[in-house]
Amino acid sequence: MILAEGMLKPGALKGKNIILTGGGTGLGRSMGEYFLELGANLVITSRKLDVLEETAQEMMTAKGGKVIPLACDVREIDQVEAMWKAANEKLGQIHVVLNNAAGNFISPTERLSINAFNTVLDIVLKGTSQVTLTAGKDWIAKKQSGTFLNIVTTYAWTGSGYVVPSAAAKAGVLALTRSLAVEWAKYGIRSNAIAPGPFPTEGAWSRLLPGDLVKKFDPAKKVPVGRVGEHQELANLAAYLVSDYSSYVNGEVMTIDGGEWLKGAGEFNNLDQIPEEMWDMMEASRGKKP
Ligand code: COA
């Protein structure tokens, strides 16, 4: 099936050294595997070194290339700086940073403790900012060019109830992306973002929609194209945006959601619930023959 096929030509990321935060599982891992397939070397980070080490081995066995696992809680600047230093020591110049690490609690906002709210803000906005600033300052000091790719979400601009700290933080990450795209372009640093719609992952889906909720709120039903995304579709877009083929794309947020957010936004979009017979009746009532 074409949806599961890689899109870029072999070697499209040859020689690229890429840091992928939250790279041990889920969508991060899927993107990382495709980057490796295209010739990149990777640093994958998360808080859990044991998970990362296992993933790194599996990825290298399956796809070749080099995968360096480094423990890093993006909320802790000391850990971010140590990770950046180690990544440069182990791989040499880093060309791409993909800010993918995130945290999210689905909950009525009034039920969240201040600590829970801050935990999500800290991982998503503070964490992304800390990694971005650490990498960006070093690239500028060394006169190296670089590329940032940040994973946001469509509710970064619509907002969304029940995931409020995530919405607020992702809106911040989107602003960071667009702002630095302009400010740091003069240093040869590009910044873009991807806003994915529903892509099934074991971790996020079981946490966000536990048990029967996933059946009750079947995410595919909200998507105009009638399905959820394939990981490879996201990996294709991410690989393009971190490759030199997208050199003229800067400050962009690319949505990949099958039209999901627009369906929610358009005032009359729920008229797809009206059956054909009812349209026939309405036409007949204004005198048009069926
Ligand atoms: N809903 C609401 N509040 C929650 C929660 C949940 N599901 N899970 C934890 N919290 C609260 C805790 O009660 C605590 O607040 P308190 O001190 O007032 O009681 C606060 O959030 C921090 O929790 P803690 O478990 O100490 O945080 P942590 O720093 O160890 O881990 C995460 C937080 C987000 C990193 C962890 O939950 C995690 O790994 N999540 C998976 C990653 C993820 O969410 N990815 C996003 C995919 S979209």
Side-chain angles (χ1 to χ4, degrees):
M1 193 171 50
I2 194 167
L3 302 182
E5 276 175 25
M7 186 183 82
L8 293 192
K9 64 184 180 193
L13 296 180
K14 198 166 171 4
K16 295 262 184 226
N17 294 326
I18 299 177
I19 292 179
L20 175 47
T21 67
T25 55
L27 292 174
R29 178 174 175 166
S30 297
M31 290 187 282
E33 283 179 349
Y34 188 44
F35 297 165
L36 276 182
E37 200 176 307
L38 293 171
N41 293 315
L42 291 183
V43 166
I44 55 174
T45 80
S46 78
R47 290 170 307 158
K48 297 180 188 140
L49 190 59
D50 51 337
V51 175
L52 289 175
E53 281 171 343
E54 202 182 321
T55 304
Q57 270 313 323
E58 288 169 8
M59 287 170 107
M60 283 189 284
T61 307
K63 307 284 180 187
K66 224 188 275 179
V67 184
I68 313 284
L70 292 177
C72 174
D73 185 334
V74 292
R75 292 171 286 189
E76 303 297 332
I77 187 63
D78 293 352
Q79 293 187 34
V80 170
E81 287 175 349
M83 179 277 288
W84 178 254
K85 189 165 174 281
N88 276 267
E89 280 165 7
K90 287 179 190 286
L91 284 186
Q93 180 179 349
I94 302 297
H95 305 95
V96 174
V97 171
L98 201 169
N99 283 303
N100 168 70
N104 201 356
F105 303 137
I106 197 155
S107 169
T109 309
E110 70 276 15
R111 286 175 181 249
L112 289 174
S113 71
I114 288 294
N115 189 31
F117 202 101
N118 285 340
T119 296
V120 175
L121 288 183
D122 281 355
I123 297 170
V124 177
L125 183 53
K126 188 172 127 187
T128 302
S129 305
Q130 292 192 151
V131 174
T132 301
L133 224 66
T134 302
K137 282 182 176 190
D138 198 40
W139 277 336
I140 292 166
K142 291 177 179 158
K143 297 193 174 10
Q144 293 174 349
S145 58
T147 299
F148 288 110
L149 180 60
N150 300 326
I151 303 299
V152 295
T153 161
T154 52
Y155 59 69
W157 56 88
T158 62
S160 176
Y162 306 97
V163 284
V164 169
S166 169
K170 293 284 192 182
V173 173
L174 183 54
L176 180 85
T177 309
R178 288 174 166 155
S179 306
L180 290 179
V182 175
E183 192 182 331
W184 283 356
K186 60 178 177 283
Y187 300 119
I189 299 173
R190 286 192 300 134
S191 299
N192 289 298
I194 296 179
F199 283 83
T201 62
E202 194 152 332
W205 280 42
S206 58
R207 245 187 330 272
L208 295 178
L209 296 171
D212 278 352
L213 275 186
V214 76
K215 284 188 206 136
K216 209 166 181 174
F217 297 101
D218 179 5
K221 290 201 181 117
K222 288 174 57 213
V223 181
V225 301
R227 64 174 178 87
V228 294
E230 288 269 343
H231 283 209
Q232 185 63 45
E233 294 178 281
L234 180 67
N236 283 338
L237 178 57
Y240 166 68
L241 286 175
V242 302
S243 78
D244 294 337
Y245 293 105
S246 63
S247 297
Y248 205 47
V249 182
N250 187 30
E252 189 52 69
V253 52
M254 292 209 182
T255 301
I256 178 163
D257 74 342
E260 184 202 33
W261 86 267
L262 280 169
K263 180 171 178 173
E267 186 174 358
F268 293 102
N269 284 344
N270 60 356
L271 297 192
D272 60 2
Q273 306 291 321
I274 293 184
E276 286 298 315
E277 308 80 67
M278 201 174 283
W279 289 116
D280 289 344
M281 276 166 49
M282 283 192 270
E283 281 181 357
S285 72
R286 48 174 223 265
K288 187 170 180 262
K289 293 204 179 79

